[in-house]
Amino acid sequence: MTNLNRRTFLGGLAASAIVLPLAACGNDTDPGTAGSPAATGGGGGDKAGPIVLGFSQVGAESGWRAANTKSIQETLTAENGFDLKFSDAQQKQENQIQAIRSYISQGVDVIAFSPVVETGWDAVLQEAKEAKIPVILTDRAVDSQDDSLYVSFIGSDFVLEGDTAGKWAVEQYKGQGLKIVELQGTTGAAPAIDRKEGFEKAIAGSDLTIIDSQTGNFTRTEGKTVMEGFLQKHGDQIGMVFAHNDDMGLGAIEAIEAAGKKPGVDIKIITIDAVKDGMQALADGKINYIVECNPLLGPDLADIAKKVLAGESVQKRIVVKDEAFDQEQAKAALPDRKY
Ligand code: AHR
């Protein structure tokens, strides 16, 4: 089947996507797990050459992002039947739109991307649709009325992550009236919007209150700077930090220590991601609780891309399972941590 024929067929598939039970796809987090399409090699469908997949990554803002990029680059290899074209958008939507347009003009087989922010994608996704190039979303969602603009979305439930963090905080610290400062992720990004929503709902009606909230753009440096500002403004009032990712939490730890306070003791810290540096700080007692966000999305992306190009039905939404860790659980999990 030629590229053109295959894409013509896909246009019909995307419009009538069948949702399979979650277990049919699963979330195989090991890029080399035997039996997974990513591990068994070979291109998708009946295409002779490799699958040309254009991937537009958000950036390199965090440890999570580095692990996510590694998973994608280590899975979508020539041995596994892929020709991966990878670009880093440096956290800028205009760079991602430019990269997607470039993939469209190159005539790649599939486009995948993790959107920096939720809104503003309809025009470029419509261009991909008209070019009959299927689009797979990874990690972050887009906010669009038209879900025919992409074939599948693989990623964690960010609202649930915020909810898990908030419920643990209430359970652990109820009755202490702790005042919380929140380090938000990138403004307009799905994980920042959703984690905030989940956390706020979970603590509503409790004696925990958010007294300040600002973006740290998911980076360690900005997390530290924003925390320094919070400490200057609110001083001893601050009882807890809720950081939307480990990196900002780690930046906050530096600011708290520089202010002569003990992170994890004087100021409780809850973060999201569970990358190695975060887990180490948790095991060391400087963070109190971490909700995982699994970055190993490469195998599911490879699987979905192959299925889509083979004309098979795919799940519209693949929810990645996350765990959560307290300090003792972090100590036990650290030796086997993959990222
Ligand atoms: O979209 C996932 C988030 O992006 C991670 O939690 C954060 O570390 C990253 O920057």
Side-chain angles (χ1 to χ4, degrees):
M1 194 186 281
T2 64
N3 272 2
L4 184 65
N5 284 342
R6 188 179 65 239
R7 289 185 191 141
T8 305
F9 177 67
L10 282 169
L13 175 75
S16 60
I18 296 164
V19 179
L20 296 174
L22 193 62
C25 184
N27 176 41
D28 182 355
T29 53
D30 180 352
T33 302
S36 77
T40 49
D46 46 9
K47 184 175 179 253
I51 294 172
V52 183
L53 186 145
F55 188 89
S56 170
Q57 180 60 289
V58 166
E61 73 282 4
S62 62
W64 188 98
R65 191 61 56 195
N68 179 249
T69 292
K70 189 163 177 260
S71 170
I72 287 159
Q73 290 179 332
E74 285 183 354
T75 312
L76 277 68
T77 60
E79 282 158 359
N80 281 336
F82 286 91
D83 172 6
L84 174 66
K85 299 189 181 301
F86 185 91
S87 59
D88 174 339
Q90 300 178 339
Q91 295 235 68
K92 292 199 173 81
Q93 183 174 33
E94 61 266 33
N95 291 348
Q96 283 201 302
I97 291 175
Q98 204 176 23
I100 294 168
R101 291 214 163 104
S102 158
Y103 294 143
I104 295 170
S105 67
Q106 289 170 52
V108 300
D109 297 317
V110 192
I111 292 171
F113 79 115
S114 172
V116 179
V117 290
E118 267 191 348
T119 55
W121 300 103
D122 282 30
V124 73
L125 292 183
Q126 187 61 38
E127 289 166 35
K129 189 178 173 184
E130 279 159 19
K132 298 189 168 35
I133 300 175
V135 173
I136 300 168
L137 303 177
T138 66
D139 165 33
R140 298 181 180 179
V142 297
D143 184 359
S144 171
Q145 297 300 316
D146 183 359
D147 75 356
S148 76
L149 295 176
Y150 61 91
V151 291
S152 189
F153 165 36
I154 306 159
S156 295
D157 180 339
F158 297 138
V159 176
L160 182 62
E161 290 172 349
D163 176 75
T164 305
K167 282 189 174 140
W168 188 84
V170 172
E171 181 59 34
Q172 202 68 19
Y173 303 115
K174 62 176 167 259
Q176 299 184 27
L178 295 185
K179 308 261 183 284
I180 304 169
V181 290
E182 181 182 32
L183 289 166
Q184 290 186 44
T186 305
T187 305
I193 296 166
D194 293 353
R195 287 170 185 168
K196 182 172 184 51
E197 181 192 323
F199 187 83
E200 278 178 354
K201 278 197 186 141
I203 66 163
S206 77
D207 64 339
L208 303 180
T209 46
I210 297 176
I211 55 165
D212 214 336
S213 180
Q214 225 178 289
T215 181
N217 213 15
F218 282 128
T219 70
R220 205 174 288 205
T221 318
E222 287 176 72
K224 183 180 176 190
T225 308
V226 174
M227 190 65 208
E228 285 166 353
F230 284 156
L231 284 162
Q232 273 172 16
K233 195 168 155 197
H234 304 289
D236 290 342
Q237 266 200 77
I238 303 170
M240 184 190 294
V241 174
F242 169 49
H244 289 192
N245 79 343
D246 287 351
D247 279 85
M248 292 189 295
L250 292 164
I253 288 174
E254 289 177 32
I256 292 167
E257 285 177 336
K261 292 176 187 290
K262 275 189 106 180
V265 180
D266 299 330
I267 299 180
K268 314 294 181 203
I269 304 183
I270 298 179
T271 66
I272 293 176
D273 274 357
V275 293
K276 266 201 183 131
D277 286 359
M279 291 289 273
Q280 189 60 60
L282 180 61
D284 293 344
K286 296 184 176 188
I287 294 180
N288 303 83
Y289 193 62
I290 302 185
V291 180
E292 182 186 49
C293 180
N294 192 328
L296 306 181
L297 307 183
D300 276 346
L301 173 57
D303 185 28
I304 293 296
K306 287 183 178 185
K307 283 183 173 151
V308 164
L309 292 178
E312 292 175 33
S313 55
V314 295
Q315 290 168 267
K316 195 81 187 179
R317 175 76 170 105
I318 294 164
V319 182
V320 176
K321 277 223 157 142
D322 298 317
E323 294 180 51
F325 304 88
D326 62 19
Q327 293 172 342
E328 289 311 310
Q329 289 163 330
K331 283 180 201 158
L334 254 176
D336 301 321
R337 206 74 192 143
K338 289 202 179 70
Y339 54 89

